[in-house]
Amino acid sequence: MSSSASKIPDSARSAVQAVDPNRWKALVFIALAQLMVVLDATIVNIALPSAQQDLGISDGNRQWVVTAYALAFGGLLLFGGRIADLWGRKRTFVTGLAGFAAASAMGGAATNEAMMFGSRALQGVFGALLAPAALSLLAVMFTDGKERAKAFGIYGAIAGGGGAVGLILGGFLTEYLDWRWTFFVNIPFAVVAAAGAYFVIREPKGGRNRSPLDIPGVILSTLGLVALVYGFTRAESDGWGDSVTVAMFVASAVLLLAFVAVESRVKAPLLPLRVITERNRGGVYLSLGLAIIAMFGLFLFLTYYLQVVKGYSPVKTGFAFLPMIAGMITGSTQIGTRLMTRVAPRLLMGPGFLVAALGMLLLTQLQIGSSYAALLLPAMLLLGLGMGTAFMPAMSLATLGVEPRDAGVASAMVNTSQQVGGAIGTALLNTIAASATTAYVADHIGGATSRSQQQLVQLQGMVHGYTSAIWFAVGILVLAAAIALTFVNAGRPGTTAVAGSAEAAEEDEVAVPVVAH
């Protein structure tokens, strides 16, 4: 400990020493909740073709099963993060779990597309309470640098593992039981996580932000994000020049600019601009959002490619995604966690996104007869390895140096960038793929005389659409890498205080030995 330790007042020293003895048990239940949320995202992708057929959902509307969730989640995350700071992270966490379980029960019981879309939106609403509360609990409970790296590594690995469980479990449930069980399976996860959290988690005192809610900020941010994603969604069915599509984009720009103006003036903003104007956090939010835009569209394309073009069963499709998940877990736990306390975060994030872009580049060579072992397997391994390596330090940087009272909203911002990126990615890349497919089929269908030839042209058009959109995804990942390398300038560990530590709380009063980040 440095000589500056003698300057620590008793309150700051007790904050350093008062380590929660239940923090590792708490991590189990926090990670279990994250497992449920990630599992739900991937499990629904596998079940989507079966649910679409059963409920009579059109091709144009099927993306709303994904988008309704991502939009409600992304639109309300800032509000959820602020509620966690105001109401208490533990209480918000348990409430989010209970609501998510109820919405899952509704989804499993859906009898039409409206009920399905409604349940997915409700899952998004309660997920918006749950996710920032979970991440901010980690941020305020783990303040030692090495423990923090390990906790975020485990959290990230379980999140990646949740993807594997979701893909495989989704395949088994869809094929051997019914797609409805892909919703019902969330209920036991939620019950166990909520009960464990209630009895084990002891939230650190003094970290709440009891300022009144910024209602104008909630309304402007939510409406602005809804208009943005709806604009992308309409572009697929009605074209980019459609008057309503253009109006949605204009409305979104106006609403989000008004949101920024309001936040800079109100006394207790929903999103304090100090959270996003710090260049490291801003770089993390922007690069993560771009990376997720690329990834979300790809998940949808590969699911349909494997099931519709290659004829894989839901179970086989689930196992086909395993190399990507294995790569994510390896990148997160073996590369990210081991190097996070040794090298600057940008040296993990930038190269990580570039490795993922290389994997995506391989997928631009996709054809109807492409070999899984020769093309899809190495591409998925590279994608997973790159994303796992980049996401691990990014998740930890999201709360870099924030005051404890802002931990919830800072955590919400990283989730917002992911969820809004997912909604935009699904809509934008789906639009590009659909336009390319339509153009290809129109150009080639004339030469197809038999029914089998026409079906072949349709499949070729579908794959052409996917590869056209994947080229855009490659460019987006390269841009994410450039932003991470340019914006993120956090140095080696030991230079910045972390959320919830005594340094963050007392930084204006005392010199405290720095906790490695």
Side-chain angles (χ1 to χ4, degrees):
M1 187 172 285
S2 73
S3 61
S4 62
S6 61
K7 301 178 185 177
I8 310 173
D10 291 341
S11 60
R13 186 177 288 107
S14 64
V16 173
Q17 293 169 347
V19 178
D20 186 348
N22 286 330
R23 64 194 181 284
W24 292 107
K25 291 180 185 175
L27 175 63
V28 172
F29 298 109
I30 292 168
L32 185 63
Q34 175 68 7
L35 173 67
M36 179 190 71
V37 173
V38 176
L39 180 151
D40 184 75
T42 51
I43 214 172
V44 168
N45 271 336
I46 295 291
L48 186 52
S50 300
Q52 180 184 352
Q53 186 176 1
D54 201 11
L55 298 178
I57 302 172
S58 68
D59 283 350
N61 283 340
R62 76 182 178 208
Q63 73 181 41
W64 277 102
V65 176
V66 176
T67 304
Y69 174 82
L71 183 53
F73 200 176
L76 292 169
L77 268 165
L78 288 176
F79 180 58
R82 182 68 182 82
I83 288 290
D85 287 337
L86 173 70
W87 199 22
R89 297 172 186 93
K90 175 180 172 178
R91 187 186 301 177
T92 307
F93 182 70
V94 173
T95 303
L97 281 165
F100 199 93
S104 297
M106 177 181 165
T111 55
N112 53 51
E113 65 176 33
M115 194 170 169
M116 168 62 74
F117 298 157
S119 71
R120 290 291 284 159
L122 271 178
Q123 280 185 315
V125 170
F126 286 104
L129 288 177
L130 170 63
L135 196 56
S136 58
L137 277 170
L138 280 190
V140 298
M141 292 177 80
F142 290 90
T143 56
D144 174 75
K146 288 185 178 179
E147 282 199 349
R148 185 181 173 88
K150 190 180 293 184
F152 274 93
I154 293 168
Y155 183 80
I158 290 177
V165 173
L167 292 165
I168 296 168
L169 188 59
F172 274 105
L173 292 174
T174 303
E175 194 164 333
Y176 297 116
L177 289 174
D178 189 78
W179 62 265
R180 297 180 185 280
W181 284 96
T182 62
F183 285 86
F184 293 142
V185 76
N186 289 331
I187 299 170
F189 279 94
V191 170
V192 172
Y198 182 80
F199 290 109
V200 170
I201 290 177
R202 296 289 179 268
E203 188 177 343
K205 293 180 180 179
R208 288 198 192 180
N209 184 346
R210 299 183 186 276
S211 304
L213 273 177
D214 170 23
I215 301 300
V218 171
I219 294 170
L220 288 170
S221 64
T222 303
L223 291 179
L225 294 169
V226 167
L228 181 66
V229 178
Y230 186 59
F232 279 112
T233 303
R234 271 195 70 94
E236 180 189 7
S237 55
D238 298 86
W240 293 96
D242 173 68
S243 58
V244 177
T245 303
V246 174
M248 285 295 110
F249 286 131
V250 172
S252 172
V254 171
L255 288 162
L256 293 177
L257 285 172
F259 171 68
V260 173
V262 166
E263 298 308 275
S264 66
R265 288 174 171 79
V266 296
K267 186 177 179 182
L270 173 70
L271 174 62
L273 295 184
R274 61 179 176 269
V275 171
I276 56 172
T277 52
E278 199 278 321
R279 65 181 291 167
N280 289 286
R281 289 194 293 271
V284 164
Y285 302 146
L286 194 54
S287 60
L288 265 186
L290 286 168
I292 294 293
I293 286 175
M295 288 295 288
F296 256 62
L298 182 74
F299 277 133
L300 195 63
F301 297 152
L302 283 183
T303 299
Y304 274 86
Y305 173 79
L306 291 169
Q307 291 193 37
V308 178
V309 179
K310 303 294 280 186
Y312 282 23
S313 68
V315 171
K316 192 175 180 181
T317 302
F319 277 104
F321 274 102
L322 273 181
M324 186 185 296
I325 306 302
M328 282 185 180
I329 294 173
T330 303
S332 177
T333 61
Q334 300 307 308
I335 301 175
T337 301
R338 290 173 184 270
L339 295 182
M340 196 176 100
T341 55
R342 300 178 188 177
V343 301
R346 65 191 180 94
L347 299 181
L348 292 173
M349 292 175 64
F353 288 136
L354 288 175
V355 169
L358 183 60
M360 199 79 82
L361 188 64
L362 289 179
L363 290 174
T364 60
Q365 306 306 306
L366 211 59
Q367 296 176 353
I368 288 179
S370 292
S371 161
Y372 176 83
L375 182 66
L376 273 78
L377 177 63
M380 287 199 208
L381 276 172
L382 287 170
L383 267 167
L385 200 62
M387 286 298 191
T389 302
F391 276 28
M392 164 71 230
M395 285 291 187
S396 186
L397 268 181
T399 51
L400 177 73
V402 297
E403 301 168 40
R405 66 194 175 106
D406 291 334
V409 78
S411 300
M413 265 307 298
V414 73
N415 283 291
T416 299
S417 65
Q418 287 180 285
Q419 292 303 320
V420 174
I424 292 173
T426 303
L428 175 63
L429 296 180
N430 217 16
T431 301
I432 294 167
S435 300
T437 296
T438 302
Y440 183 94
V441 172
D443 288 344
H444 295 81
I445 199 72
T449 53
S450 67
R451 182 173 177 80
S452 61
Q453 286 178 326
Q454 290 173 348
Q455 288 176 335
L456 181 62
V457 169
Q458 292 283 354
L459 289 177
Q460 287 172 335
M462 192 183 295
V463 175
H464 173 72
Y466 296 160
T467 55
S468 299
I470 289 169
W471 272 111
F472 278 85
V474 172
I476 291 168
L477 280 174
V478 170
L479 180 59
I483 288 171
L485 288 167
T486 306
F487 280 62
V488 178
N489 68 346
R492 294 176 63 82
T495 60
T496 312
V498 298
S501 65
E503 303 93 295
E506 304 288 338
E507 60 186 357
D508 294 329
E509 299 177 24
V510 294
V512 182
V514 177
V515 175
H517 188 282

mmCIF file of all heavy atoms in Angstrom, residues 153-180:
data_model
loop_
_atom_site.group_PDB
_atom_site.id
_atom_site.type_symbol
_atom_site.label_atom_id
_atom_site.label_comp_id
_atom_site.label_asym_id
_atom_site.label_seq_id
_atom_site.Cartn_x
_atom_site.Cartn_y
_atom_site.Cartn_z
ATOM 1 N N GLY A 153 -15.483 -11.887 -15.726
ATOM 2 C CA GLY A 153 -15.158 -13.010 -16.601
ATOM 3 C C GLY A 153 -16.162 -14.139 -16.460
ATOM 4 O O GLY A 153 -16.641 -14.709 -17.449
ATOM 5 N N ILE A 154 -16.502 -14.466 -15.197
ATOM 6 C CA ILE A 154 -17.503 -15.510 -14.950
ATOM 7 C C ILE A 154 -18.861 -15.089 -15.503
ATOM 8 O O ILE A 154 -19.565 -15.869 -16.149
ATOM 9 C CB ILE A 154 -17.600 -15.804 -13.433
ATOM 10 C CG1 ILE A 154 -16.295 -16.451 -12.944
ATOM 11 C CG2 ILE A 154 -18.792 -16.697 -13.109
ATOM 12 C CD1 ILE A 154 -16.169 -16.530 -11.435
ATOM 13 N N TYR A 155 -19.217 -13.834 -15.256
ATOM 14 C CA TYR A 155 -20.497 -13.287 -15.750
ATOM 15 C C TYR A 155 -20.571 -13.383 -17.275
ATOM 16 O O TYR A 155 -21.570 -13.831 -17.844
ATOM 17 C CB TYR A 155 -20.596 -11.828 -15.298
ATOM 18 C CG TYR A 155 -21.885 -11.121 -15.646
ATOM 19 C CD1 TYR A 155 -23.032 -11.313 -14.879
ATOM 20 C CD2 TYR A 155 -21.951 -10.218 -16.705
ATOM 21 C CE1 TYR A 155 -24.207 -10.636 -15.163
ATOM 22 C CE2 TYR A 155 -23.111 -9.538 -17.005
ATOM 23 C CZ TYR A 155 -24.235 -9.753 -16.223
ATOM 24 O OH TYR A 155 -25.397 -9.077 -16.522
ATOM 25 N N GLY A 156 -19.463 -12.988 -17.931
ATOM 26 C CA GLY A 156 -19.426 -13.049 -19.395
ATOM 27 C C GLY A 156 -19.458 -14.476 -19.917
ATOM 28 O O GLY A 156 -20.123 -14.773 -20.911
ATOM 29 N N ALA A 157 -18.742 -15.377 -19.226
ATOM 30 C CA ALA A 157 -18.711 -16.778 -19.666
ATOM 31 C C ALA A 157 -20.081 -17.430 -19.518
ATOM 32 O O ALA A 157 -20.520 -18.182 -20.392
ATOM 33 C CB ALA A 157 -17.677 -17.554 -18.857
ATOM 34 N N ILE A 158 -20.777 -17.121 -18.415
ATOM 35 C CA ILE A 158 -22.113 -17.691 -18.215
ATOM 36 C C ILE A 158 -23.090 -17.092 -19.221
ATOM 37 O O ILE A 158 -23.993 -17.780 -19.708
ATOM 38 C CB ILE A 158 -22.578 -17.485 -16.759
ATOM 39 C CG1 ILE A 158 -21.745 -18.389 -15.840
ATOM 40 C CG2 ILE A 158 -24.058 -17.780 -16.595
ATOM 41 C CD1 ILE A 158 -22.032 -18.254 -14.384
ATOM 42 N N ALA A 159 -22.889 -15.830 -19.558
ATOM 43 C CA ALA A 159 -23.725 -15.227 -20.603
ATOM 44 C C ALA A 159 -23.521 -15.958 -21.932
ATOM 45 O O ALA A 159 -24.473 -16.275 -22.646
ATOM 46 C CB ALA A 159 -23.389 -13.746 -20.756
ATOM 47 N N GLY A 160 -22.245 -16.256 -22.253
ATOM 48 C CA GLY A 160 -21.955 -17.021 -23.471
ATOM 49 C C GLY A 160 -22.478 -18.436 -23.373
ATOM 50 O O GLY A 160 -23.048 -18.981 -24.316
ATOM 51 N N GLY A 161 -22.286 -19.051 -22.181
ATOM 52 C CA GLY A 161 -22.808 -20.392 -21.957
ATOM 53 C C GLY A 161 -24.316 -20.435 -22.081
ATOM 54 O O GLY A 161 -24.891 -21.437 -22.521
ATOM 55 N N GLY A 162 -24.971 -19.340 -21.674
ATOM 56 C CA GLY A 162 -26.426 -19.250 -21.813
ATOM 57 C C GLY A 162 -26.852 -19.349 -23.262
ATOM 58 O O GLY A 162 -27.888 -19.941 -23.580
ATOM 59 N N GLY A 163 -26.018 -18.775 -24.148
ATOM 60 C CA GLY A 163 -26.304 -18.903 -25.567
ATOM 61 C C GLY A 163 -26.273 -20.351 -26.017
ATOM 62 O O GLY A 163 -27.145 -20.809 -26.752
ATOM 63 N N ALA A 164 -25.264 -21.103 -25.532
ATOM 64 C CA ALA A 164 -25.157 -22.521 -25.894
ATOM 65 C C ALA A 164 -26.330 -23.312 -25.355
ATOM 66 O O ALA A 164 -26.957 -24.109 -26.062
ATOM 67 C CB ALA A 164 -23.848 -23.093 -25.348
ATOM 68 N N VAL A 165 -26.650 -23.086 -24.070
ATOM 69 C CA VAL A 165 -27.788 -23.778 -23.463
ATOM 70 C C VAL A 165 -29.074 -23.450 -24.214
ATOM 71 O O VAL A 165 -29.897 -24.329 -24.494
ATOM 72 C CB VAL A 165 -27.924 -23.394 -21.966
ATOM 73 C CG1 VAL A 165 -29.203 -23.969 -21.370
ATOM 74 C CG2 VAL A 165 -26.718 -23.874 -21.183
ATOM 75 N N GLY A 166 -29.242 -22.174 -24.562
ATOM 76 C CA GLY A 166 -30.449 -21.752 -25.273
ATOM 77 C C GLY A 166 -30.589 -22.406 -26.631
ATOM 78 O O GLY A 166 -31.672 -22.870 -26.998
ATOM 79 N N LEU A 167 -29.492 -22.450 -27.383
ATOM 80 C CA LEU A 167 -29.541 -23.036 -28.724
ATOM 81 C C LEU A 167 -29.854 -24.531 -28.676
ATOM 82 O O LEU A 167 -30.682 -25.031 -29.434
ATOM 83 C CB LEU A 167 -28.209 -22.794 -29.439
ATOM 84 C CG LEU A 167 -27.912 -21.328 -29.800
ATOM 85 C CD1 LEU A 167 -26.447 -21.145 -30.158
ATOM 86 C CD2 LEU A 167 -28.796 -20.860 -30.942
ATOM 87 N N ILE A 168 -29.198 -25.239 -27.772
ATOM 88 C CA ILE A 168 -29.401 -26.692 -27.697
ATOM 89 C C ILE A 168 -30.745 -27.021 -27.047
ATOM 90 O O ILE A 168 -31.525 -27.828 -27.568
ATOM 91 C CB ILE A 168 -28.241 -27.358 -26.913
ATOM 92 C CG1 ILE A 168 -26.926 -27.156 -27.680
ATOM 93 C CG2 ILE A 168 -28.505 -28.832 -26.722
ATOM 94 C CD1 ILE A 168 -25.692 -27.501 -26.892
ATOM 95 N N LEU A 169 -31.026 -26.354 -25.908
ATOM 96 C CA LEU A 169 -32.299 -26.593 -25.228
ATOM 97 C C LEU A 169 -33.473 -26.192 -26.117
ATOM 98 O O LEU A 169 -34.489 -26.892 -26.185
ATOM 99 C CB LEU A 169 -32.324 -25.797 -23.917
ATOM 100 C CG LEU A 169 -33.485 -26.059 -22.960
ATOM 101 C CD1 LEU A 169 -33.527 -27.521 -22.535
ATOM 102 C CD2 LEU A 169 -33.362 -25.154 -21.736
ATOM 103 N N GLY A 170 -33.312 -25.079 -26.828
ATOM 104 C CA GLY A 170 -34.363 -24.642 -27.748
ATOM 105 C C GLY A 170 -34.622 -25.677 -28.825
ATOM 106 O O GLY A 170 -35.780 -25.948 -29.182
ATOM 107 N N GLY A 171 -33.545 -26.271 -29.338
ATOM 108 C CA GLY A 171 -33.702 -27.319 -30.346
ATOM 109 C C GLY A 171 -34.439 -28.531 -29.812
ATOM 110 O O GLY A 171 -35.384 -29.024 -30.434
ATOM 111 N N PHE A 172 -34.028 -29.013 -28.644
ATOM 112 C CA PHE A 172 -34.684 -30.186 -28.047
ATOM 113 C C PHE A 172 -36.155 -29.912 -27.730
ATOM 114 O O PHE A 172 -37.036 -30.727 -28.031
ATOM 115 C CB PHE A 172 -33.953 -30.609 -26.763
ATOM 116 C CG PHE A 172 -32.797 -31.534 -27.012
ATOM 117 C CD1 PHE A 172 -31.488 -31.077 -26.921
ATOM 118 C CD2 PHE A 172 -33.003 -32.862 -27.356
ATOM 119 C CE1 PHE A 172 -30.405 -31.914 -27.163
ATOM 120 C CE2 PHE A 172 -31.931 -33.721 -27.602
ATOM 121 C CZ PHE A 172 -30.636 -33.252 -27.496
ATOM 122 N N LEU A 173 -36.432 -28.775 -27.105
ATOM 123 C CA LEU A 173 -37.810 -28.453 -26.717
ATOM 124 C C LEU A 173 -38.703 -28.296 -27.939
ATOM 125 O O LEU A 173 -39.848 -28.765 -27.960
ATOM 126 C CB LEU A 173 -37.835 -27.171 -25.873
ATOM 127 C CG LEU A 173 -37.196 -27.254 -24.483
ATOM 128 C CD1 LEU A 173 -37.160 -25.888 -23.823
ATOM 129 C CD2 LEU A 173 -37.951 -28.243 -23.600
ATOM 130 N N THR A 174 -38.179 -27.628 -28.992
ATOM 131 C CA THR A 174 -38.972 -27.407 -30.204
ATOM 132 C C THR A 174 -39.246 -28.718 -30.930
ATOM 133 O O THR A 174 -40.352 -28.967 -31.411
ATOM 134 C CB THR A 174 -38.236 -26.429 -31.149
ATOM 135 O OG1 THR A 174 -37.997 -25.213 -30.435
ATOM 136 C CG2 THR A 174 -39.069 -26.130 -32.378
ATOM 137 N N GLU A 175 -38.225 -29.579 -30.987
ATOM 138 C CA GLU A 175 -38.347 -30.800 -31.783
ATOM 139 C C GLU A 175 -39.111 -31.907 -31.057
ATOM 140 O O GLU A 175 -39.911 -32.619 -31.652
ATOM 141 C CB GLU A 175 -36.946 -31.293 -32.167
ATOM 142 C CG GLU A 175 -36.958 -32.357 -33.257
ATOM 143 C CD GLU A 175 -35.588 -32.534 -33.889
ATOM 144 O OE1 GLU A 175 -34.785 -31.577 -33.886
ATOM 145 O OE2 GLU A 175 -35.325 -33.630 -34.386
ATOM 146 N N TYR A 176 -38.873 -32.043 -29.746
ATOM 147 C CA TYR A 176 -39.434 -33.187 -29.026
ATOM 148 C C TYR A 176 -40.653 -32.846 -28.159
ATOM 149 O O TYR A 176 -41.418 -33.729 -27.795
ATOM 150 C CB TYR A 176 -38.355 -33.851 -28.172
ATOM 151 C CG TYR A 176 -37.228 -34.415 -29.014
ATOM 152 C CD1 TYR A 176 -35.940 -33.916 -28.912
ATOM 153 C CD2 TYR A 176 -37.477 -35.428 -29.946
ATOM 154 C CE1 TYR A 176 -34.910 -34.412 -29.706
ATOM 155 C CE2 TYR A 176 -36.454 -35.929 -30.733
ATOM 156 C CZ TYR A 176 -35.180 -35.423 -30.612
ATOM 157 O OH TYR A 176 -34.163 -35.918 -31.404
ATOM 158 N N LEU A 177 -40.821 -31.584 -27.810
ATOM 159 C CA LEU A 177 -42.012 -31.193 -27.058
ATOM 160 C C LEU A 177 -42.822 -30.221 -27.907
ATOM 161 O O LEU A 177 -43.633 -30.613 -28.725
ATOM 162 C CB LEU A 177 -41.614 -30.565 -25.710
ATOM 163 C CG LEU A 177 -41.037 -31.533 -24.663
ATOM 164 C CD1 LEU A 177 -40.548 -30.762 -23.442
ATOM 165 C CD2 LEU A 177 -42.086 -32.568 -24.247
ATOM 166 N N ASP A 178 -42.591 -28.938 -27.714
ATOM 167 C CA ASP A 178 -43.330 -27.923 -28.448
ATOM 168 C C ASP A 178 -42.595 -26.603 -28.279
ATOM 169 O O ASP A 178 -41.942 -26.387 -27.257
ATOM 170 C CB ASP A 178 -44.753 -27.811 -27.873
ATOM 171 C CG ASP A 178 -45.646 -26.924 -28.723
ATOM 172 O OD1 ASP A 178 -46.129 -27.386 -29.773
ATOM 173 O OD2 ASP A 178 -45.837 -25.757 -28.336
ATOM 174 N N TRP A 179 -42.697 -25.697 -29.258
ATOM 175 C CA TRP A 179 -41.998 -24.417 -29.151
ATOM 176 C C TRP A 179 -42.436 -23.636 -27.912
ATOM 177 O O TRP A 179 -41.693 -22.784 -27.394
ATOM 178 C CB TRP A 179 -42.215 -23.568 -30.408
ATOM 179 C CG TRP A 179 -43.639 -23.178 -30.684
ATOM 180 C CD1 TRP A 179 -44.524 -23.810 -31.498
ATOM 181 C CD2 TRP A 179 -44.354 -22.072 -30.113
ATOM 182 N NE1 TRP A 179 -45.749 -23.181 -31.483
ATOM 183 C CE2 TRP A 179 -45.667 -22.100 -30.641
ATOM 184 C CE3 TRP A 179 -44.020 -21.048 -29.216
ATOM 185 C CZ2 TRP A 179 -46.640 -21.160 -30.300
ATOM 186 C CZ3 TRP A 179 -44.990 -20.116 -28.872
ATOM 187 C CH2 TRP A 179 -46.273 -20.169 -29.411
ATOM 188 N N ARG A 180 -43.649 -23.894 -27.396
ATOM 189 C CA ARG A 180 -44.159 -23.154 -26.229
ATOM 190 C C ARG A 180 -43.272 -23.358 -25.000
ATOM 191 O O ARG A 180 -43.168 -22.479 -24.132
ATOM 192 C CB ARG A 180 -45.598 -23.572 -25.926
ATOM 193 C CG ARG A 180 -46.577 -23.228 -27.052
ATOM 194 C CD ARG A 180 -48.002 -23.644 -26.745
ATOM 195 N NE ARG A 180 -48.861 -23.397 -27.900
ATOM 196 C CZ ARG A 180 -49.365 -22.212 -28.209
ATOM 197 N NH1 ARG A 180 -49.102 -21.158 -27.449
ATOM 198 N NH2 ARG A 180 -50.137 -22.059 -29.276
#
